[in-house]
Amino acid sequence: MERTSRQKREKELDRAMDLLINVNYRGAVCRRKVFYVQFDNKSVDSSHLICEPSEAEGCSRCVPIIPNVCCDIHHPLAFSSCDTVVPQLPRLPIHSRLAKYTMGPQEHKLCEALEDWRDQKTVEIYGCSHLIDLSPTVVMDNMVLDQIVDCAHHEKIKVIQDLRKEIHWSINNNLAREVIAIIHQIIPILLYTTAPLQQHPLSTTVNTPISGLPQYSSLASNNPPAGTKKVQKCSTCGQPGHNSEFLHLFSLYSHSLTLPFDQNVAMFVHCIHHGYLLLRRKM
């Protein structure tokens, strides 16, 4: 119980500090008033009169000095140089969710290679004393090393951008390239699982017209426009207006007539229109 109350007191903010920070929201109009009340300056306001009672203004050495600048509330321009702007950091990219796995010989070999690499880089950058005193974690800590091994197992690190996305590790490009080279040397990763797409410019060749052949504006010009009835053609003679069955009936009908050919055609069409041909065939 005593431990809980102690932790609670440590988390609570002191009342004077709370008033000093949030003076604008506590009804006070001056930050100096917080110091005035907290340190009980009212009790010493008349001490200079006691020190030198013969003088009307009291002791010149003990008299409180009225400052020319009060606080940031009354004189905000005087404290403009103290204003700090906290820049909003860009949001870190979301790293991949990795499934649990059991480390194999390649993962253990990669872990040992990264440990040797960070020892070497610590000596090159900071010196041998830092390797002994601070350990190689100044270059790469253990959590980053474990994350690199996990991502390498799942083939998530292929280029520098992947290393920054998955690990969120602030490292320069030269060191990042060395780390990626170690990863690919022990756990080879295909940079492209399939052949990359190749972009080809569109053909701008214009078909030259051939003399003696009719030219068409488009392939769609051979098709009839929408809403028009398709013209029926005969499969025997290729002429429009009738079909092969029409010619067969006409040949049978024309042999039974003694009229000229043109008159037979007119008579045949007239009979078809009025249904006389079927009647004649039945007879």
Side-chain angles (χ1 to χ4, degrees):
M1 187 69 180
E2 182 180 356
R3 182 180 179 182
T4 305
S5 60
R6 181 180 178 182
Q7 292 177 351
K8 185 177 180 181
R9 287 196 303 270
E10 290 178 354
K11 293 181 180 180
E12 290 179 354
L13 185 63
D14 185 72
R15 183 175 179 274
M17 184 61 66
D18 186 18
L19 289 174
L20 181 64
I21 297 173
N22 303 301
V23 63
N24 295 334
Y25 309 98
R26 297 291 187 268
V29 294
C30 181
R31 294 192 192 275
R32 283 186 173 272
K33 188 175 181 180
V34 179
F35 293 96
Y36 188 84
V37 175
Q38 180 66 21
F39 295 103
D40 195 18
N41 291 351
K42 186 178 180 180
S43 61
V44 295
D45 282 349
S46 59
S47 60
H48 62 287
L49 299 176
I50 301 174
C51 180
E52 190 68 34
S54 59
E55 297 289 336
E57 297 181 356
C59 179
S60 59
R61 292 176 298 178
C62 300
V63 61
I65 300 175
I66 301 176
N68 296 327
V69 178
C70 180
C71 62
D72 62 319
I73 297 177
H74 291 98
H75 301 88
L77 297 179
F79 297 88
S80 59
S81 59
C82 301
D83 294 340
T84 56
V85 178
V86 180
Q88 186 176 3
L89 298 177
R91 186 177 180 181
L92 296 176
I94 301 176
H95 58 80
S96 304
R97 291 181 175 269
L98 305 178
K100 294 183 179 180
Y101 71 100
T102 302
M103 292 182 61
Q106 286 184 324
E107 287 75 20
H108 288 290
K109 184 178 180 180
L110 177 60
C111 185
E112 294 176 358
L114 291 176
E115 288 178 353
D116 296 339
W117 176 84
R118 69 178 184 177
D119 292 346
Q120 178 185 356
K121 290 302 173 182
T122 302
V123 175
E124 291 179 2
I125 299 174
Y126 301 104
C128 185
S129 60
H130 284 73
L131 178 63
I132 299 174
D133 298 337
L134 302 178
S135 76
T137 55
V138 295
V139 174
M140 177 192 293
D141 58 26
N142 297 330
M143 183 179 297
V144 171
L145 192 148
D146 294 338
Q147 290 177 351
I148 291 176
V149 175
D150 296 340
C151 293
H153 171 80
H154 293 281
E155 298 184 356
K156 295 295 183 181
I157 300 178
K158 299 179 181 179
V159 293
I160 297 177
Q161 290 75 9
D162 297 336
L163 183 64
R164 299 187 186 280
K165 172 189 172 184
E166 300 294 343
I167 310 301
H168 296 167
W169 181 30
S170 58
I171 184 176
N172 59 47
N173 293 337
N174 295 330
L175 296 180
R177 292 190 188 96
E178 296 181 9
V179 173
I180 293 176
I182 296 173
I183 295 173
H184 292 177
Q185 183 179 2
I186 299 175
I187 304 179
I189 301 175
L190 295 176
L191 295 182
Y192 297 99
T193 56
T194 58
L197 297 177
Q198 298 180 358
Q199 296 181 356
H200 298 282
L202 296 176
S203 177
T204 57
T205 305
V206 180
N207 296 328
T208 57
I210 302 176
S211 59
L213 295 179
Q215 302 298 324
Y216 300 94
S217 60
S218 63
L219 296 176
S221 61
N222 295 330
N223 299 327
T228 60
K229 187 177 180 179
K230 184 177 180 180
V231 178
Q232 189 176 17
K233 292 184 179 181
C234 179
S235 60
T236 302
C237 65
Q239 297 298 324
H242 63 273
N243 53 21
S244 59
E245 184 179 0
F246 177 87
L247 291 179
H248 177 67
L249 294 176
F250 176 73
S251 63
L252 294 176
Y253 179 76
S254 61
H255 285 299
S256 62
L257 299 176
T258 59
L259 298 175
F261 180 79
D262 295 340
Q263 296 180 10
N264 285 340
V265 173
M267 183 63 70
F268 181 72
V269 174
H270 178 76
C271 291
I272 290 177
H273 180 71
H274 292 85
Y276 295 152
L277 178 61
L278 296 178
L279 180 62
R280 182 177 179 81
R281 291 184 62 184
K282 289 181 181 179
M283 292 176 61

